[in-house]
Amino acid sequence: KQEVTQIPAALSVPEGENLVLNCSFTDSAIYNLQWFRQDPGKGLTSLLLIQSSQREQTSGRLNASLDKSSGRSTLYIAASQPGDSATYLCAVSSPGDTGRRALTFGSGTRLQVQP
Amino acid sequence: DAGVIQSPRHEVTEMGQEVTLRCKPISGHDYLFWYRQTMMRGLELLIYFNNNVPIDDSGMPEDRFSAKMPNASFSTLKIQPSEPRDSAVYFCASSASGNTIYFGEGSWLTVV
């Protein structure tokens, strides 16, 4: 059964700092990995999707990497801003117990960027 | 596109009442997912559909929960009878052929 772990659970940094969020998964047989952002009281917004054949994806100040063999992904945020404050979730799409596609979420990293 | 649309956004109901949550996926998407989020358990997949057909409902907690997708533009999640432990945020999400998943704003359910 796929398990997804995110470290740290919470992170507080001063504005302008570069930071890395970590995600690890137990089963390397994945279809893809997604990073999401969730603001309080809101739904999830997809940030980046990395297919299993890819090593990284970039969007603006965000860069996500994927190392399938080691079961790890990182989300790099450059020059953090107070508006980046949110919970960041990692989710892995992989064959579920029934052999069907399933998306397993980590518990998230709650990020606060101090002005 | 308006994105995934869920209703109601907030619902407070008494224990034992029937609750129906509604979802309109993004047009053209062939996958639809129902998730539940709580502080204790995080995000849990309840059920998902592909081309309106339920594929995996192993996450549905018990027989009190049921989901339908009568057509490509509408799905419901029903809880009958509701219990206080069902209080959570219920998210609907959709995707095209299993790629990027787009979430709705959620339905915040409180059962008292």
Side-chain angles (χ1 to χ4, degrees):
Chain A
K1 180 183 174 183
Q2 181 74 270
E3 292 181 5
V4 180
T5 304
Q6 290 188 247
I7 295 173
L11 182 63
S12 181
V13 300
E15 182 177 3
E17 195 161 295
N18 302 326
L19 58 100
V20 174
L21 307 181
N22 296 292
C23 171
S24 61
F25 47 96
T26 55
D27 186 349
S28 61
I30 67 171
Y31 299 121
N32 59 52
L33 181 146
Q34 277 188 246
W35 282 94
F36 292 88
R37 167 187 174 137
Q38 186 174 28
D39 293 285
K42 299 287 188 180
L44 281 71
T45 300
S46 181
L47 298 173
L48 290 164
L49 170 74
I50 311 177
Q51 300 290 355
S52 63
S53 58
Q54 297 174 321
R55 293 299 299 260
E56 66 177 342
Q57 283 286 334
T58 298
S59 176
R61 295 182 294 108
L62 305 179
N63 176 275
S65 68
L66 174 63
D67 185 341
K68 249 188 4 172
S69 60
S70 67
R72 294 184 186 189
S73 175
T74 61
L75 179 67
Y76 175 82
I77 303 177
S80 58
Q81 303 170 358
D84 295 330
S85 299
T87 296
Y88 291 80
L89 296 114
C90 164
V92 174
S93 177
S94 56
D97 290 342
T98 61
R100 306 286 190 174
R101 182 182 295 261
L103 194 67
T104 307
F105 280 84
S107 54
T109 294
R110 191 170 64 255
L111 172 66
Q112 187 163 17
V113 181
Q114 308 285 356
Chain B
D1 200 318
V4 177
I5 299 173
Q6 292 187 245
S7 65
R9 287 295 319 277
H10 298 271
E11 175 142 354
V12 180
T13 191
E14 291 186 348
M15 183 173 66
Q17 295 298 307
E18 177 177 293
V19 174
T20 299
L21 308 178
R22 297 173 178 81
C23 175
K24 177 178 167 54
I26 293 173
S27 177
H29 282 189
D30 55 348
Y31 282 83
L32 183 140
F33 306 84
W34 281 102
Y35 285 89
R36 177 171 69 177
Q37 186 176 40
T38 61
M39 289 290 292
M40 292 295 294
R41 297 160 98 144
L43 268 161
E44 303 173 280
L45 176 66
L46 300 177
I47 185 171
Y48 77 91
F49 296 82
N50 180 215
N51 292 321
N52 313 339
V53 176
I55 301 301
D56 186 349
D57 65 354
S58 58
M60 295 285 263
E62 47 200 275
D63 292 345
R64 298 184 297 106
F65 286 69
S66 63
K68 293 183 180 178
M69 192 165 185
N71 57 62
S73 59
F74 184 66
S75 177
T76 59
L77 178 68
K78 190 172 292 187
I79 308 172
Q80 166 64 20
S82 57
E83 297 182 4
R85 61 193 166 117
D86 301 331
S87 298
V89 185
Y90 291 82
F91 286 106
C92 177
S94 70
S95 74
S97 298
N99 287 316
T100 300
I101 294 180
Y102 296 88
F103 279 73
E105 294 281 278
S107 291
W108 299 69
L109 174 66
T110 303
V111 183
V112 298

